[in-house]
Each structure stands twice: as C-alpha cells, then as structure tokens.
Amino acid sequence: MAAAGTCGTGTRSTGSMVAAASTNNVTSFQRRGPRASGADSGCSRLVSIAGTRPSVRNGQLLVSTGLPALDQLLGGGLAVGTVLLIEEDKYNIYSPLLFKYFLAEGIVSGHAVLVASAKEDPADILQKLPAPLIDDSYKKECDEDVCSHKMEPDIKMKIAWRYQLLPKMEAGPVSSSRFGHYYDISKRIPQELIETSKWHGFFLPEKISSAFNVESCSLTPGYMKLLQFIQNIIYKEGFDGSNPQKKQKNILRIGIQNLGSPLWGDDICCTENCDTSHSLTKFLYILRGLLRTSLSACIITMPTHLIQNKAVIARVTNLSDTVVGLESFIGSEKETNPLYKDYHGLIHIRQIPRLNNLIYDISDVKDLAFKLKKKLFTIECKQVHGL
Amino acid sequence: MFPELNNLLNTTPEGAEQEKLTLLCDAKTDGSFLVHHFLSFYLKANCKVCFVALVQSFSHYNMVGQKLGVSLTTARERGQLVVLEGLKSAVDIFFRPQEEPHPLQFLREANAGDLQPLYAFVRDALEPVDCGEAAWRCPVLLVDDLSVLLSLGVGPVAVLDFVHYCRATVCREWKGNVVALVHDSGDAEDEESDVLLNGLSHQSHLILRAEGLATGFCKDVHGQLRILWRRPLQPTTPRDRSLTYQYKIQDKSVSFFAKGMSPAVL
C-alpha cells in the first residue's frame, strides 16, 4: 500500500513537470507516440526542444526554415537530420536571403548555429541577419499590402494573432518557443541576440593553411576540413548523444554557403570533366551520415546553374533530402512578361523526402512565385491575370 | 509487401522463385517503395536477407516495414536479417579509421575503389551455415541503391563486377536471389549510370521500372510501373513478356490499376 502511495505521488510530480514544460512549449499537439523524433539516437523524449515541433503526419521532429510559407510547402518544416539544398538563382541575390532566414530562425529559437563560408566571414554573415518582426509591425505590413494573397489561409492568421500575447522579441534572453517567425530584412538583428547565442564559424581561408597533411581520399581539402570541423562540433557539444557530460538537448543548425563554387577549391563549376568530380557527392553523403546520427539540420546553397555536368546535378539531387530551386527573372525574357510582372522569380520544389513513410506531404500547388518586398520575402501562388 | 504487386508478379512468399536477379529501376520518380516491398516480401518468405542500405537509415526502413507487417529489428535479432547501414558506416570509416577492412573501405581511397570488401561482407553474411536443420529458405541480397556507389567514386565496371560476383555466389552457388535498385538518369546524360543500367538490364530475369508520368505531377496517379520478364541466358525462348500498370502510393500499401483506369478518373 505504501509503495503504491509513493508511486502515485511520484507520477503526479512528473506529470506536473510535464505540464510545466508544455506550457512553455506552444505546440500542445505533441504526439505521445514512441517515435516522435527523426534522429537515430532514440531520443523520443526530446519533443520539448524550443523551436521544434513534431510533424503531424509521422511524428518526425521538424524545425522551421525561417520562412513560414516555405515551411508549409515542405510539409510543416524541415525534418531534423536532413539536408535542405537551395539551388541558387543566377546572380545569387535571393538565395542568401533564404540562407539568412534559416540562421536567424536558429538564433531566435535558441539553437546552436554553425556557419560555413568560403567567401564571407561567418561573424559578418551573422551581423547581417534580419531582425525578427514584432507581431504588431507584421500586421502593419500585411495591411499595407492590398492585393497580396498569402499562402496561409485566413484561419491560420487568426490563430497566429493569438501568439501576440506571448512576450515580445525585443531584447533579452533568447528563448522563443514559437515555431516560425517573420523577419524584417531592412533591419539588422539586435546585437544582444547574437551575443547570447551559441555559434560556430568556419571561414575557409582561415582554416586552410599552406601545409596540409591530408591523407588523400579524393575529397578536396576544403571539404575535408569542413567535415572534420562539423564532426568535431557535433561530438564535442553532444549533438549526437555520445558525450555523457552534455545533458542539454538542443538542435544544431548548419549553414553552408555556395558549396561547390570554385572558392571551395572544387572545379566542378568550371569544367565538365574535372578530377575532383566525386568530391562534392562524397561530401554530401558523409554530411548526411553525420546529420542522420545527430540532432542537426543543414541548409546548403549551391550554384547548380554553374555546374557543367548535368549528371552531377542529378546525383547531388539524389543525395540531398529536400531540394528547392530559385529562378529569378533578372536578365531573362520573363522579366518583361506581363504574366510575371508582380514577381521577382519562381520557386521550384524539386524534391521532398519520404522519411519513415511511403508517402510524403506535398502541396498541390506547383506554380509558385516569390517576391521581395521592402521588408519581406513572400512566396505566393502565381496569379493568372486577365482571366 | 504489397498484395496487389504480388498478384501482378504472380508470386507468393511461399512460392518465391530462386536463382533470380531482379532489377528495380526508377526514372523521374522515387522507386523506393519497390525496395520496401521486396524487403518485406523476402522476410515473410522466411529467407535470409542481407540488406545493403546505402540511402537511408535503418530506422526509416524499420518504420515502413512495420507498416507493411514485418519488424526489421526482430528479424535482425533473430539472425534472419543482416543490415549494412551505409550512412552510419561512412561516418565511422571517415572519422575513426579502422585497421581491419571495412565493406565501405573505398570511401577512404583516393582513386576509384573496388568493391571486394563489400562482396566479402555479403558472402560472410549469407553463407549457409550447416547446422543440421535448414533454418532459412534461401539467401537474398537486397541493395538500395547501386547508383549511390557511382556517386561515391566507384566506377560502373566495378559495380557490375560486384553484381556479377554476387550473382555467381548467391544465385548460382547458393540458389538465392539478388535484388538491386538503380536510378535511371534519363536525359541527364550520365554515362556511367547508363553503362550500369544497360549492363544490369541484360543480366536480369525480372525488371521493374517505375516511371513518373510523362504529363507531370498528378495527385491520384503517382506513376507508371513497367514489369518485364526476361530469359537472359536462353536466346531461343519466346519473346519477353511485359506489362504496364499505373500506381498510387498510399500510407500502407500501393494500389495498381490499368492505364487510364484510376479510380479518380472513372
């Protein structure tokens, strides 16, 4: 009897802890299933990480890409443990925006962020991230825009307004329990948010020294160093669950910019038959192996329009999980086409992974266009005029 | 396994054929549902299966397998299933170099590797153990998928050699089956992939080809499946038989129907 009594009190106290956790976590629709996560480390107890939510379809743990419209197109968000490949637009104007949204979302949600670039210092990239929008000013943006039809139906907006009652994102500790935020591109992210966040930078010119003792394994030295850096962070900070000292569970967001460009030491964009033709695909395979066994999600922007060998593009697509292509109208004949006059480019969802499932969430809409307004980047269904 | 596909192929788990090479191929669509079908089919047929899973993690196949009625973890514990997880092994080899040869050793090598260690792994996994009673029906090798090996730097001839060795051992010597998935790159002009696909097509007894619809994406018809029965080693037999069906993938099964007869249309 006494044992049963203590058992009872025990469960009640854990129940109250769970309740406390769930009030902080906005997503009350957590599935109690045994598999509620995507990573392999058997972490079914981790649904309470800030900035994540389980997928409605199969309980897969999702993170936001930083653009709620894109989240919806991808079936709720980006699955933890997967790669999001962005095929850059021709002049690389719009793909850095998606890259920055992803990183900003990581900082605002309190995730750890790893930025890798061969062109720009990661510290500078982080300084230029967009500021999260306080909900009042987002509403003003919507009212100004008279003829915009957003992707989300109106009912969703009504639910979103309830989140206005949550503490505003002005300054202070980074802990937003919301999934998906809106950002103001014209403003920079507050310095305090960057300082309180946990970030790691990989700037290729700094890491490549003149004497590299790399054992030749057909990976270019830049990719080799990047993989070792990522693996080191994952292991040291405990994202793969192997480090017994690191108890706190968090998501690692990895952003790799312009992968495959000549700045990374890869000449796959320069010639059709290059010597290092398997370097990029090997890199992607091993990167995906690292992601699958840890709590991380990765965004890669790649100038696929520069890759001469079409076979490589097909292989890269097969080796990535989610692939989104951006096609901007600048310089093409579509710029003067009246059909596209309201938009800046097209967005193609080329591939969505089927994870733990035979089927996947795919939206019916195939004609998607994007538009960069003064403060926001929006994705809309193409409006056919003149009907 | 999908019962409708069993009907189309005219097989049952109890009466599964032996000594066959089955080629799964997909063009402009995802043919992985075929891999899940054959995996659960051969596990239900009580065969010993060696699964070389290079594309996704084990838990992915396990979860889909549970929807189809087989538990991969139970099969693995019982010894019926041996799995080589490509993604996990790649990380292990790359960052923690080991002394003894690993099946995916070619990842560490600079020039085009060969697949001898992988073949040795398959051979050790499927070797019939003489323990008095026949525990499993026949050995089966299932590879998902061979095109990944091309992306990792292995030449198409090396992959064809590997399949040839496996066929000689698994199909001929041990009277088992080999099933492999290859991607058809279509108009992406991937010469290596074409060499591999053509080479395997000539050796296969059964080819299942999943194609995306020529007219593009459709919600109710996900693609078209072409089934081709071949007799590769007997040139005097009557012409190969071929059937075409359209399919729609659902949560736990795949439904097949004749072209144009989708329930959504009728």
Side-chain angles (χ1 to χ4, degrees), chain A residues 85-99 119 256-261 264 269 300-306 323-328 346 348 350 370:
Chain A
L85 178 72
I86 307 278
E87 295 183 348
E88 291 175 9
D89 53 300
K90 212 156 134 200
Y91 301 103
N92 201 16
I93 298 175
Y94 301 107
S95 45
L97 283 175
L98 295 184
F99 189 73
K119 194 163 70 168
I256 307 177
Q257 212 177 26
N258 305 124
L259 190 69
S261 75
W264 283 97
C269 292
I300 301 179
T301 66
M302 191 183 286
T304 46
H305 57 97
L306 292 176
V323 182
V324 171
L326 291 177
E327 181 194 339
S328 82
L346 296 175
H348 306 282
R350 301 216 198 269
F370 65 83

Side-chain angles (χ1 to χ4, degrees), chain A residues 313-384:
Chain A
I313 303 179
R315 288 183 186 179
V316 161
T317 305
N318 284 334
L319 286 172
S320 314
D321 297 298
T322 315
V323 182
V324 171
L326 291 177
E327 181 194 339
S328 82
F329 294 149
I330 299 177
S332 77
E333 71 265 10
K334 292 185 179 144
E335 201 170 7
T336 47
N337 190 335
L339 193 63
Y340 298 123
K341 66 176 165 62
D342 287 336
Y343 306 106
H344 290 125
L346 296 175
I347 191 163
H348 306 282
I349 309 282
R350 301 216 198 269
Q351 182 170 280
I352 295 187
R354 296 168 202 253
L355 293 167
N356 302 333
N357 232 325
L358 280 173
I359 47 180
Y360 51 32
D361 270 320
I362 189 165
S363 70
D364 291 345
V365 183
K366 289 290 159 183
D367 297 321
L368 297 161
F370 65 83
K371 183 161 51 177
L372 178 61
K373 296 191 281 216
K374 198 174 59 168
K375 296 187 180 183
L376 291 171
F377 180 95
T378 54
I379 302 177
E380 297 167 22
C381 187
K382 254 188 358 215
Q383 300 292 318
V384 182

